Amino acid sequence: MSTSLSTSGPASGQPPIADAGPLALCAREPRVPAERLVAEMVPPPRFDSVRFDTYDPDPAQPSQSEAVTVLSGFAAGLGGAHASGAGKRKWFRKKAPAPAAGPRGVYLDGGYGVGKTHLLASLWHATPAEPALKAFGTFVELTNLVGALGFQQTVQTLGGHRLLCIDEFELDDPGDTVLVSSLLSRLVEQGVALAATSNTLPGKLGEGRFAAADFLREIQGLSAHFRPLRIDGQDYRHRGLPEAPAPFSDEQVAKAAYATPGASLDDFPGLLEHLAKVHPSRYGALTDGIAAVCLTDVVPVPDQSTALRLVVLADRLYDREVPVLASGVPFDRLFSEEMLNGGYRKKYFRAISRLTALARDAKPLVSQ
């Protein structure tokens, strides 16, 4: 279950500071086998050790404590035999009997940075089932899995699971809406419990993006599978923390890249161009073995397609706790006002929040 990773050389445009230069994301062209996509449907490294009792609810936001209570009870209720009587994962299985009527999932609704992913991962850990019978992935990773395995095989692969957790449930086009709605309906029929996070209530996901009647109808049908659970609060990444560090100079970033084992060094505009050549399902593999990402000449992203690719990369870096050291404009100026006021604004604000947190983590890499 390995990932082939071809490279074409070190980052260009930076003078060597030591004999061994840093890596370059732009030189990587990962190839990810389908088996890896299945095996990696577990909480990312950042959330390996999180549990309900490590969640720090804001005393001013009672909905956060309530969420812990509700989710703990939901996890406990998933004990016992699977509705289909399934044990180990199988690629092919007979259709399972339909479970009891009613919602088969919980939907964590709230703004970015209120700890939804922490709670979702805690639910995965607390559910009394072996890891092979629980799946955890982002919405994008789930659609990528269907693309790699095919719809029927994905249903057969996940159909024997006790729980499927979907993080950042954001629907970017009507095709994905229909695909995932159909998949979840089939999984619910087979007794799979569902849990998801999003920044918007299930019945409102389509607003501000697409107005097609078919799309909105599909959203409404999907929302019936979930019990919405509202989580209020501020972005914890900024709660009581100092402002994000200002960008460093090109020279400081390059020096830190050469001095940090396992760091990568890329020109930001060049990296944006490279991301267009790599499927987003491979962005995780793109960062394999990277200890820190160093970027020079960070500039505002030029268009929405580029911006959405950058959001996916930011998510993968955040999941893996990879510090990001940068020169150029600060991360809160990556996206234009038009983007921040558009239909994908919550994705962009999440990316800013996460990159800011990673920029704080990278500050010690620069020698004072």
Side-chain angles (χ1 to χ4, degrees), residues 82-283:
H82 181 272
S84 67
K88 296 181 179 180
R89 175 192 298 161
K90 297 180 180 178
W91 290 101
F92 300 95
R93 64 179 75 256
K94 296 181 180 179
K95 182 178 179 181
R104 284 291 299 165
V106 290
Y107 203 112
L108 309 187
D109 168 63
Y112 47 89
V114 297
K116 300 189 304 298
T117 303
H118 183 133
L119 291 171
L120 190 68
S122 298
L123 173 63
W124 188 93
H125 288 298
T127 295
E130 59 183 278
L133 295 180
K134 301 181 287 187
F136 184 108
T138 65
F139 180 85
V140 171
E141 288 169 330
L142 185 60
T143 58
N144 289 337
L145 182 66
V146 176
L149 300 183
F151 183 85
Q152 293 298 335
Q153 194 163 331
T154 302
V155 172
Q156 292 156 0
T157 301
L158 300 179
H161 281 54
R162 194 75 51 81
L163 173 69
L164 170 61
C165 295
I166 310 167
D167 199 20
E168 297 299 345
F169 204 115
E170 301 192 24
L171 308 182
D172 298 336
D173 63 68
D176 283 348
T177 305
V178 174
L179 174 69
V180 175
S181 178
S182 300
L183 175 64
L184 296 186
S185 295
R186 291 284 298 276
L187 295 178
V188 168
E189 290 174 0
Q190 298 202 24
V192 181
L194 306 174
T197 73
S198 179
N199 295 327
T200 312
L201 283 169
K204 303 294 185 181
L205 277 171
E207 293 185 5
R209 295 186 183 179
F210 302 95
D214 288 345
F215 177 66
L216 294 176
R217 249 196 323 270
E218 199 65 42
I219 287 291
Q220 294 299 326
L222 187 58
S223 67
H225 292 315
F226 297 94
R227 168 192 172 182
L229 185 62
R230 179 73 187 179
I231 304 174
D232 300 302
Q234 302 177 35
D235 185 343
Y236 80 91
R237 287 179 285 271
H238 302 297
R239 197 189 305 163
L241 294 175
E243 292 296 319
F248 294 96
S249 68
D250 287 351
E251 292 75 18
Q252 287 174 306
V253 171
K255 183 176 180 181
Y258 279 89
T260 304
S264 64
L265 177 61
D266 293 270
D267 171 73
F268 186 70
L271 177 60
L272 295 182
E273 291 183 9
H274 185 64
L275 292 179
K277 305 171 186 176
V278 179
H279 192 276
S281 66
R282 301 173 183 171
Y283 287 4

Side-chain angles (χ1 to χ4, degrees), residues 304-323:
Q304 188 148 265
S305 295
T306 302
L308 291 173
R309 287 191 289 267
L310 181 61
V311 168
V312 176
L313 179 63
D315 286 342
R316 300 291 80 78
L317 293 173
Y318 183 78
D319 288 345
R320 289 159 174 76
E321 300 181 289
V322 180

